[in-house]
Amino acid sequence: QAQTVSTFNQAFHADLEVVCAASKCDLDHVTEAQKMEVKGQMAELSGAPVDEVMEVSGKTGMGVTELVEAMIQRFPAPPGDVNSPFKALLFDMYYDNHKGVVLLVAVRNGAVKCGASVFCSYSGKVYKVVEVGILHPHLFPLEALGSGQVGYITVGAKDIRGFRVGETIWAKDAEKQPGAENFPGFRPSRPMVYAGIFPEQVGDGEKLEVAMQRLLLTDASVEAKRDVSVVLGAGFRCGFLGLLHLDVFAERLFAEYGVAVIATSPTVPYRVTLNNDSVSILETAGEFPSPPQMPPKRVEEPLVNATVVVPRDLVPAVQMLCYEKRGREKDMETLDNMGASVMLNWEMPMAEVISDFFNRLQSATHGYATFDYEPAGYQDVDLVKVSIRLNGEIVEALSFLALREKASESSAKFLEKLVQMVPSQQFEISVQALIGGKVVAKNRVKMLRRDMVQKDHSLAGDPSRKAKIADRQKEGKKKLREVAKVQVPPEAFVAMVKL
């Protein structure tokens, strides 16, 4: 699996001790040859001897005791100093309805007891410890947690957004002592995907706000701010860690709070340098400078390091897809001696990954590929804002961002779908896509067709009279087109923002 390989690579580069184990070895249909094949792949990847790769089963318990013993024997004892002031790493957290925020910590130095005061490096706040304990496997209270132990701390906090995974928790004032340093490598999580969250029913606005406030208490990695859409009404603009995070969040809103929501098509944060040299992070096309404003000096898009594990015979199809998505191949390595499975590492724009990459990857590999990615900085991109003009008026809510080299193609596809959504009128509606005031694509919504002149026996044999009436109708429809405003139905907006 790509996620397993990606996690192993992180542990390998961090110089951590690794114990290899193949799971689900109790299944009847798994042959000894298949077990040896998997163990050989793990040995090839990790550099460990094949006979050290263990066989375990969480269902039957086979090999679990040996695995725990191997972890005890091979993993080094946690470093730390019992006599130093308390210092711990926050590695996870969750919200409990009765205890508030539960902090899962690994204690490096010293000890902490109930009633002690601790300092959190992320928020800079001091809290009083309400309860400490270990996971056994549920919360098991103790009098104290000491150096080398892993357990939990509760401080009576109700807002999980005041804490961040990876931060350092100190005894009060211990962070001020000479030589005191936070654990290295801590970086607050940054959203990689942005999307609008709006209620399906306009009357559910208050229910959505209450549900968002409660759900945000349990998920500190989501950034949310209020947003108002001309069509979708009041909602929230949210930042997520990835597409799966977005899907899970929307599902939780419905499953836990009964609020059905519309999630607009996801976008990525672009870093834009304006003409006054100020740098801004833009999430939507509406924030992008457009005439009469000057275009930005520089636009940068986020990148990801993508890991794909795929059978060897399907590698060419994956490479073609990655090249199409503007990817750059970094390396390729086999995961076994036979070369049956291959791991591809690519650097790709995040905007290409969040569109339809995963679906196309599964289609190209018949579902055999596994995929994972992680942030990898920014790169320059030639990006333009495409505005939509409907019957001579700009509809800002339908504007979108596109690569300059693909802007015409993207605009034509967008308009082709849009004209199917806009209802026909008694006159022809012109639909245009513009970049900087220049039309790059156009289409039209055909008028309602009917007989211009009804059957009238008095005009039966006089074509010139019919032509005069038709001309008068054309003039009338021309005037109607000039004064009429085309109303885009809400269904059309919803369909377009979910593209």
Side-chain angles (χ1 to χ4, degrees), residues 65-199:
T65 302
E66 293 80 0
L67 177 61
V68 174
E69 288 294 334
M71 293 167 59
I72 295 173
Q73 295 296 328
R74 294 175 56 181
F75 288 172
D81 185 357
V82 180
N83 300 317
S84 297
F86 173 71
K87 178 183 179 182
L89 173 69
L90 174 62
F91 64 86
D92 200 2
M93 57 186 170
Y94 64 91
Y95 184 82
D96 183 271
N97 290 331
H98 303 288
K99 299 179 183 294
V101 181
V102 178
L103 308 176
L104 305 184
V105 298
V107 182
R108 172 65 64 86
N109 298 330
V112 62
K113 298 180 179 179
C114 296
S117 296
V118 294
F119 172 83
C120 295
S121 61
Y122 172 75
S123 64
K125 293 182 179 180
V126 175
Y127 297 93
K128 187 174 182 180
V129 176
V130 177
E131 182 179 308
V132 301
I134 58 174
L135 305 177
H136 195 266
H138 304 293
L139 303 184
F140 187 82
L142 297 176
E143 292 185 1
L145 275 181
S147 176
Q149 286 187 298
V150 175
Y152 72 92
I153 297 174
T154 64
V155 293
K158 299 299 181 182
D159 191 351
I160 199 171
R161 289 171 291 182
F163 305 90
R164 284 294 183 271
V165 171
E167 70 169 302
T168 305
I169 300 178
W170 300 86
K172 184 182 177 182
D173 297 329
E175 78 283 356
K176 300 178 183 178
Q177 295 183 2
E181 294 182 355
N182 293 327
F183 288 107
F186 167 63
R187 296 192 306 270
S189 60
R190 295 176 302 166
M192 292 299 294
V193 173
Y194 288 86
I197 301 292
F198 298 91

Side-chain angles (χ1 to χ4, degrees), residues 282-299:
L282 306 185
E283 306 160 11
T284 63
E287 301 171 345
F288 203 82
S290 57
Q293 295 175 296
M294 292 292 292
K297 279 185 177 180
R298 184 184 185 189
V299 181

Side-chain angles (χ1 to χ4, degrees), residues 465-482:
R465 294 288 300 274
K466 289 185 179 181
K468 288 181 181 180
I469 294 177
D471 290 340
R472 285 201 298 269
Q473 289 184 353
K474 287 180 181 179
E475 289 296 325
K477 290 184 178 182
K478 182 179 179 182
K479 292 180 180 179
L480 181 62
R481 181 170 62 246
E482 292 174 354

Side-chain angles (χ1 to χ4, degrees), residues 249-470:
F249 191 84
E251 286 295 328
R252 287 186 65 189
L253 283 172
F254 179 72
E256 299 179 19
Y257 302 99
V259 182
V261 298
I262 295 172
T264 62
S265 55
T267 59
V268 299
Y270 292 99
R271 193 161 60 190
V272 177
T273 304
L274 303 176
N275 286 279
N276 58 2
D277 292 330
S278 62
V279 179
S280 302
I281 300 294
L282 306 185
E283 306 160 11
T284 63
E287 301 171 345
F288 203 82
S290 57
Q293 295 175 296
M294 292 292 292
K297 279 185 177 180
R298 184 184 185 189
V299 181
E300 297 170 280
E301 64 177 347
L303 296 171
V304 296
N305 284 328
T307 303
V308 182
V309 177
V310 67
R312 174 173 287 279
D313 57 339
L314 298 176
V315 168
V318 175
Q319 290 176 324
M320 288 293 293
L321 176 60
C322 292
Y323 279 124
E324 182 183 337
K325 293 296 185 179
R326 299 188 289 133
R328 183 177 64 85
E329 187 170 9
K330 298 176 66 177
D331 59 68
M332 177 175 66
E333 57 182 286
T334 58
L335 298 181
D336 53 22
N337 293 326
M338 303 295 294
S341 295
V342 178
M343 182 175 67
L344 305 174
N345 291 312
W346 284 71
E347 186 178 74
M348 301 175 62
M350 182 69 181
E352 300 288 353
V353 172
I354 69 170
S355 54
D356 60 348
F357 177 79
F358 185 72
N359 291 337
R360 291 186 59 184
L361 176 66
Q362 295 302 312
S363 176
T365 61
H366 315 294
Y368 283 105
T370 60
F371 173 67
D372 191 29
Y373 65 88
E374 59 183 17
Y378 282 79
Q379 74 172 6
D380 289 346
V381 61
D382 191 4
L383 205 67
V384 293
K385 177 182 177 180
V386 181
S387 301
I388 303 300
R389 187 159 64 191
L390 196 64
N391 200 34
E393 292 189 3
I394 297 292
V395 184
E396 189 63 38
L398 292 177
S399 60
F400 63 95
L401 299 174
L403 292 172
R404 187 182 298 275
E405 60 184 18
K406 296 183 178 179
S408 298
E409 179 184 351
S410 301
S411 301
K413 291 181 179 178
F414 189 90
L415 294 187
E416 184 178 350
K417 186 171 181 64
L418 179 61
V419 296
Q420 299 174 6
M421 301 289 178
V422 178
S424 299
Q425 306 288 333
Q426 293 183 11
F427 53 89
E428 186 176 276
I429 303 172
S430 173
V431 186
Q432 299 173 323
L434 300 91
I435 298 177
K438 179 182 178 182
V439 177
V440 295
K442 60 182 180 180
N443 210 318
R444 61 192 179 96
V445 180
K446 296 181 179 179
M447 70 175 71
L448 289 172
R449 287 293 180 183
R450 59 183 299 179
D451 292 336
M452 292 185 294
V453 181
Q454 294 181 354
K455 289 184 178 181
D456 188 343
H457 297 292
S458 64
L459 305 175
D462 192 351
S464 63
R465 294 288 300 274
K466 289 185 179 181
K468 288 181 181 180
I469 294 177

